[in-house]
């Protein structure tokens, strides 16, 4: 039994208090590892008066520590090139570099040791086990592998559970579809947007996806699988169950869904998650997700402000787990709310509406100001249905759900951009 499995066995189900005690034990261990060796946190925590692991004895103590922001990590990397000073071990202990877009224009580079790379894989093994993906499964990655960490760590997680894994990088979408059938793949791992794109393409090519060998789809890299309408559409097209996942290069693979799919479970054996009001930074039930990782001493983040928005639920799940859940998963970014004529509109709400209308394909939303008035235009591809129906249905649904009058322009199928990572559908021109 791996450390991760034994932690899960001990914690699931455990009382909330027990989970908190284990988290703090592991956090003080982490502090012991990094104080005096990790330049970034030794100095940051030192300024906050923390120079010994014993300074933090409870989750309340942890909540008094300063937040970490992406800007700080980016600035630190710029001042201490090329990797910054958030390194606990000598550079030759590290075996992996991955990167994400930084805030200063330079990519933010995050390093892993042999041990922390195993930890990533263990966290992904948790994702697979919760969805009951096992050694009997064959996992296909419909993704162009690059410097982004997400799907590499998932690939390692597949090894941990003994499943057969196939990378789908360097292939066209049609080649990926063919590979899924030819290799009798049972699990698809990709972004929710790309799962929809493959479904659309299969329809054009006359491939009946519902009869494909895929039984489960684990969707990561962007929110979406937690949106009811997006999930329903993916499940219908693929004849498969869809599971949401959340993780980040700076943080780790921290979220998973159980078979009951009652929201995104937080892997609280490996991460401490807080939700704060992004303006006041006070604890909140809905707001910004703040994460401390417990198993990556070589590149730790303490109270990292992810910029993700979520609602937390700590009552036990019907699956029996007591790990907290995020209702509907990550519901967007804290700074991506669009204020249109005084109404707060979340991009995820618009996506959920459009995906629930039959015959809609890809879409793009633009907000402009004309004659002192905010105008929202939704360009939407009409697929199976008549253009006029799609326009009328979208307008009506937006008015009913959000109390917002929008202009809907039908566009030809296949003309809007497709994304295989982090879709960008919303543009505020004001
Ligand atoms: Zn559950």
């Amino acid at each position: 039994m791996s450390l991760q499995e034994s932690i899960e066995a001990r914690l699931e189900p455990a009382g909330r208090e027990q989970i908190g005690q284990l988290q703090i034990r592991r956090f003080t261990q982490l502090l012991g590892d990094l104080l005096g060796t990790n330049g970034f946190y030794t100095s940051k925590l030192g300024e906050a008066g923390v120079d010994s692991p014993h300074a933090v004895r409870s989750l309340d103590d942890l909540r008094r520590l300063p937040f970490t922001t992406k800007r700080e990590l980016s600035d630190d990397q710029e001042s201490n090139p090329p990797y910054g000073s958030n390194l606990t071990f000598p550079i030759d202990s590290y075996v992996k570099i991955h990167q994400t877009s930084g805030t200063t224009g330079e990519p933010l580079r995050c390093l892993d040791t042999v041990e922390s790379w195993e930890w990533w894989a263990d966290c992904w093994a948790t994702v697979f086990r919760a969805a009951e993906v096992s050694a009997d499964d064959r996992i296909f990655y419909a993704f162009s592998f690059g410097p982004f960490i997400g799907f590499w760590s998932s690939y390692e997680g597949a090894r941990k559970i003994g499943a057969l894994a196939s990378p789908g990088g360097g292939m066209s979408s049609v080649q990926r579809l063919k590979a899924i059938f030819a290799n009798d793949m049972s699990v698809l791992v990709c972004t929710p947007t790309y799962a929809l794109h493959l479904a659309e393409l299969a329809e054009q090519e006359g491939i009946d996806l519902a009869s494909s060998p895929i039984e489960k789809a684990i969707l990561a890299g962007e929110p979406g699988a937690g949106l009811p309408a997006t999930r329903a559409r993916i499940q219908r097209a693929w004849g498969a169950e869809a599971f949401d996942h959340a993780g980040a290069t700076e943080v780790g693979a921290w979220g998973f869904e159980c078979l009951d799919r009652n929201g995104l479970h937080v892997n609280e054996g490996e991460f401490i998650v807080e939700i704060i009001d992004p303006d006041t930074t006070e604890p909140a039930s809905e707001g910004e997700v703040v994460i401390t990782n417990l198993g990556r001493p070589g590149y730790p983040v303490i109270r990292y402000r992810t910029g993700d928005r979520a609602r937390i639920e700590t009552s036990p799940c019907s699956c029996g787990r007591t790990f907290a859940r995020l209702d509907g998963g990550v519901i967007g970014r804290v700074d991506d709310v669009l204020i249109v004529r005084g109404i707060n509109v979340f991009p995820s709400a618009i996506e959920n509406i459009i995906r629930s209308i039959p015959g809609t394909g890809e879409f793009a939303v633009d907000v402009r100001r004309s004659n002192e008035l905010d105008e929202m235009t939704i360009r939407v591809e009409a697929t199976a249905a008549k253009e006029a129906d799609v326009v009328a249905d979208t307008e009506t649904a937006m008015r009913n759900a959000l109390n917002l009058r929008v202009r809907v322009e039908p566009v030809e199928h296949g003309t809007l951009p497709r994304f295989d990572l982090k879709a960008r559908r919303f543009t505020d021109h004001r």
Side-chain angles (χ1 to χ4, degrees):
M1 191 184 268
S2 74
L3 175 67
Q4 175 71 24
E5 280 171 295
S6 64
I7 287 167
E8 278 170 35
R10 255 186 297 143
L11 279 182
E12 295 186 32
R16 301 288 310 157
E17 202 172 318
Q18 216 181 330
I19 293 172
Q21 282 164 0
L22 180 118
Q23 287 175 324
I24 280 302
R25 242 194 340 268
R26 294 200 60 203
F27 183 70
T28 32
Q29 237 168 39
L30 175 73
L31 280 187
D33 284 341
L34 58 91
L35 287 174
T37 50
N38 180 301
F40 180 79
Y41 276 111
T42 302
S43 123
K44 186 173 168 67
L45 294 173
E47 281 166 30
V50 175
D51 53 12
S52 139
H54 306 296
V56 179
R57 293 171 185 278
S58 66
L59 288 176
D60 284 338
D61 291 344
L62 175 98
R63 287 186 202 106
R64 282 190 279 274
L65 299 180
F67 293 109
T68 304
T69 63
K70 190 168 192 180
R71 170 150 296 279
E72 277 176 285
L73 293 175
S74 282
D75 289 349
D76 169 64
Q77 183 183 272
E78 200 173 38
S79 318
N80 304 281
Y83 303 122
S85 66
N86 186 21
L87 299 175
T88 308
F89 306 115
I91 192 69
D92 58 7
S93 314
Y94 292 84
V95 296
K96 303 281 179 199
I97 296 175
H98 291 95
Q99 68 184 47
T100 177
S101 54
T103 59
T104 55
E106 272 291 291
L108 178 64
R109 304 178 191 95
C110 304
L111 271 59
D112 279 289
T113 62
V114 170
E115 292 76 17
S116 64
W117 193 238
E118 288 297 314
W119 171 80
W120 269 98
D122 284 330
C123 291
W124 256 100
T126 297
V127 176
F128 286 132
R129 279 194 292 267
E132 293 195 354
V133 174
S134 70
D136 299 335
D137 281 299
R138 295 161 306 281
I139 305 175
F140 187 77
Y141 291 86
F143 182 69
S144 307
F145 284 82
F148 172 73
I149 211 167
F151 294 89
W152 290 110
S153 53
S154 175
Y155 199 64
E156 293 291 320
R159 173 177 59 84
K160 286 273 175 179
I161 60 163
L164 190 66
S166 170
M171 293 171 122
S172 70
S173 297
V174 171
Q175 285 171 328
R176 284 171 175 162
L177 285 171
K178 286 185 177 158
I180 287 169
F181 281 89
N183 296 287
D184 201 22
M185 289 294 173
S186 58
V187 178
L188 173 71
V189 178
C190 62
T191 65
T193 302
Y194 196 72
L196 284 171
H197 172 55
L198 280 181
E200 197 177 39
L201 192 75
E203 204 181 314
Q204 283 166 24
E205 298 284 318
I207 299 170
D208 176 20
L209 221 45
S211 72
S212 85
I214 296 290
E215 292 163 4
K216 288 170 184 167
I218 300 190
L219 305 164
E222 58 180 17
L227 293 174
T230 301
R231 187 201 297 271
R233 191 175 269 220
I234 292 169
Q235 297 195 143
R236 210 168 38 240
W238 283 88
E241 289 177 287
F243 295 83
D244 191 13
H245 164 70
T249 305
E250 313 89 292
V251 177
W254 56 268
F256 66 88
E257 271 196 310
C258 63
L259 288 185
D260 290 358
R261 287 169 293 164
N262 269 327
L264 185 73
H265 278 287
V266 174
N267 181 351
E268 292 188 290
E270 297 299 334
F271 301 89
I272 299 173
V273 167
E274 306 164 63
I275 305 289
I276 59 164
D277 178 317
D279 299 322
T280 66
T281 74
E282 288 299 313
S285 56
E286 176 172 346
E288 183 174 357
V289 181
V290 172
I291 305 186
T292 300
N293 56 16
L294 298 169
R296 198 190 196 186
Y299 193 92
V301 284
I302 296 174
R303 304 198 79 205
Y304 183 69
R305 294 188 65 164
T306 62
D308 289 333
R309 173 179 282 275
R311 266 187 306 277
I312 198 159
E313 173 60 57
T314 53
S315 64
C317 179
S318 51
C319 72
R321 287 179 179 83
T322 48
F323 283 174
R325 287 166 289 140
L326 304 183
D327 184 16
V330 169
I331 46 187
R333 303 283 300 168
V334 287
D335 50 8
D336 70 0
V337 60
L338 298 163
I339 303 174
V340 182
R341 300 186 192 180
I343 298 171
N344 286 352
V345 185
F346 285 100
S348 55
I350 298 177
E351 173 174 344
N352 199 38
I353 290 167
I354 295 175
R355 298 281 191 224
S356 66
I357 297 167
T360 54
E362 195 49 73
F363 66 96
V365 178
D366 294 272
V367 184
R368 293 187 172 80
R369 182 156 293 154
S370 91
N371 301 327
E372 302 297 308
L373 263 186
D374 298 327
E375 291 273 1
M376 182 184 280
T377 308
I378 301 178
R379 282 173 294 151
V380 61
E381 293 179 1
T383 54
K386 282 194 196 123
E387 272 186 7
D389 292 343
V390 165
V391 169
D393 290 351
T394 307
E395 281 175 353
T396 310
M398 290 291 293
R399 200 163 53 236
N400 291 346
L402 301 175
N403 199 18
L404 204 64
R405 236 172 240 288
V406 300
R407 252 172 68 130
V408 178
E409 287 175 8
V411 296
E412 204 175 317
H413 187 231
T415 50
L416 292 173
R418 264 61 181 165
F419 307 91
D420 76 351
L421 186 68
K422 300 205 191 296
R424 287 174 302 278
R425 302 189 174 95
F426 297 84
T427 316
D428 195 340
H429 302 270
R430 295 170 296 181

